[in-house]
């Protein structure tokens, strides 16, 4: 498999790939594993959608995890870098409409994250009545708010993105209370992001100072404050993007000035005989359409100066019966019984071989 990937002009294996694939061929492929630091702490606590970065145990946990997952590869020439996590929940997206601020407000009593969320609101508002004019809770004091088991957000926001951001701005201009709520949520998630990236990057670098920290594989574009925090701490900002054109997403992350890595993208063909009912990304009619979509996507990505790489999802198709999470789609370069999709892999070979030339031609030379 390694030699075949190299023949298709791939030079890296993406997240969750088998290390033996990276090192077993005649040409070494760079590895990009994940440390899953925040995710492992969230599972450790079991009552958190997002890891409580204010919990004193968080720092100790991720340092121990980084030592376990990263230290043994600190001198590995085949390692490109390490992802911190995968698709954490930063703001409303396909998984729900909750804000990170309300999730932290609804943590169990006296949890550090709940205390931090309450403190951020108390520091901002002159008094409780001013706060409650915006949030419209049933509480009558800060103390009573801290005892409420489930704080309901007074507004539901769209997930971040160019078009949605414009709609949110319009809605906020029409309603000062909504604007204040949005500002509360954005301010808090920015603080959480800064603490998350600072602690996680520090933990990985303490265990492995010799390789890149590749980000946390954003599932969707997060709020601007999260992107800014990522830019302050990461070597590379990674994100998954299942659109036809990755340009707007790259622009959003490139505003930090940091290199950008597309850590996951794909297209599915309905002629593969698979259900294609679960899984991200566009469904297309044929394998030729998949090949053309790959070519257009990568060309658009390579036109961006900050782009340093792109990872395709995935090598082989998913089973028709569904994998562990039910995904049953034609994401592969080969079928589940290893028959090659020739239109797709031929196009991949040509585009990958020309990638550096395409990128250099599209990016203005520095003078």
């Amino acid at each position: 498999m390694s030699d075949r990937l190299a023949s298709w002009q791939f030079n890296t294996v993406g997240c969750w790939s088998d290390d033996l694939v990276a090192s077993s061929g005649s040409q070494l492929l760079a590895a990009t594993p994940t440390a899953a630091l925040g995710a492992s702490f969230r599972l450790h606590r079991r009552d958190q959608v997002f890891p409580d970065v204010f919990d004193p145990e968080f720092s100790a946990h991720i340092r121990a995890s980084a030592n376990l997952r990263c230290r043994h590869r600190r001198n590995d020439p085949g390692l490109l870098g390490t992802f911190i996590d995968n698709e954490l929940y930063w703001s409303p997206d396909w998984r729900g409409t909750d804000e990170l601020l309300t999730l932290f407000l609804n943590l169990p009593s006296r949890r550090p994250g709940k205390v931090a969320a309450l403190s951020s609101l108390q520091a901002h508002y002159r008094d409780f009545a001013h706060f409650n004019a915006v949030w419209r809770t049933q509480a009558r004091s800060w103390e009573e708010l801290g005892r409420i088991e489930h704080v309901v957000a007074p507004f539901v926001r769209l997930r971040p993105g160019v078009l949605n951001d414009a709609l949110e701005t319009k809605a906020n201009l029409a309603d000062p209370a909504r604007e204040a709520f949005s500002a509360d949520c954005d301010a808090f998630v920015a603080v959480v992001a800064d603490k998350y990236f600072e602690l996680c990057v520090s933990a990985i670098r303490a265990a492995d100072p010799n390789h890149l920290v590749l980000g946390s594989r954003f599932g969707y574009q997060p709020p601007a404050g999260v992107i800014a925090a990522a830019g302050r701490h990461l070597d590379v900002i990674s994100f998954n993007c299942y659109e036809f054109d990755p340009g707007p997403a790259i622009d959003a992350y490139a505003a930090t000035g940091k290199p950008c890595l597309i850590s996951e993208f794909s297209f599915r063909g309905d002629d593969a005989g698979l259900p294609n009912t679960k899984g991200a990304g566009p469904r297309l009619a044929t394998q030729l359409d998949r090949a053309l979509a790959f070519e257009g996507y990568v060309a658009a990505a390579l036109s961006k100066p900050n782009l340093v790489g792109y990872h395709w999802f995935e090598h082989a198709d998913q089973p028709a019966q569904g994998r562990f999470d039910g995904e049953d789609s034609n994401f592969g370069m080969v079928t589940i019984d290893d028959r090659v999709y020739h239109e797709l892999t031929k196009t991949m070979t040509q585009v990958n071989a020309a990638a550096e030339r395409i990128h250099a031609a599209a990016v203005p030379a520095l003078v």
Side-chain angles (χ1 to χ4, degrees), residues 10 12-15 32 83 214 217-218 236-251 253 259-267 294 296-304 306-313:
F10 287 99
T12 306
V13 292
C15 193
T32 56
F83 293 112
L214 299 174
R217 292 170 52 90
F218 291 122
V236 178
I237 297 179
S238 57
F239 60 97
N240 304 337
C241 180
Y242 283 84
E243 307 291 340
F244 283 110
D245 179 8
I250 298 173
D251 290 342
Y253 297 110
C260 297
L261 169 66
I262 299 172
S263 42
E264 206 172 289
F265 77 105
S266 199
F267 303 98
F294 175 90
Y297 184 104
V298 174
L302 291 171
S303 71
K304 302 296 182 178
N306 288 61
L307 186 85
V308 294
Y310 49 90
H311 292 176
W312 172 264
F313 182 83

Side-chain angles (χ1 to χ4, degrees), residues 28 30-33 69-83 201 203-215 233-236:
L28 182 66
T32 56
R69 296 172 182 264
C70 305
R71 183 171 293 278
H72 67 288
R73 301 195 70 169
R74 62 190 298 161
N75 295 315
D76 185 348
L79 181 68
L80 175 65
T82 301
F83 293 112
V201 171
I204 291 176
R205 285 181 177 154
D208 176 7
N210 302 322
H211 295 100
L212 298 171
V213 182
L214 299 174
H233 298 287
L234 295 171
D235 297 313
V236 178

Side-chain angles (χ1 to χ4, degrees), residues 185-209:
C185 295
D186 289 342
F188 185 74
V189 74
V191 171
V192 171
D194 196 69
K195 195 170 187 66
Y196 166 84
F197 284 114
E198 179 184 14
L199 292 174
C200 289
V201 171
S202 175
I204 291 176
R205 285 181 177 154
D208 176 7

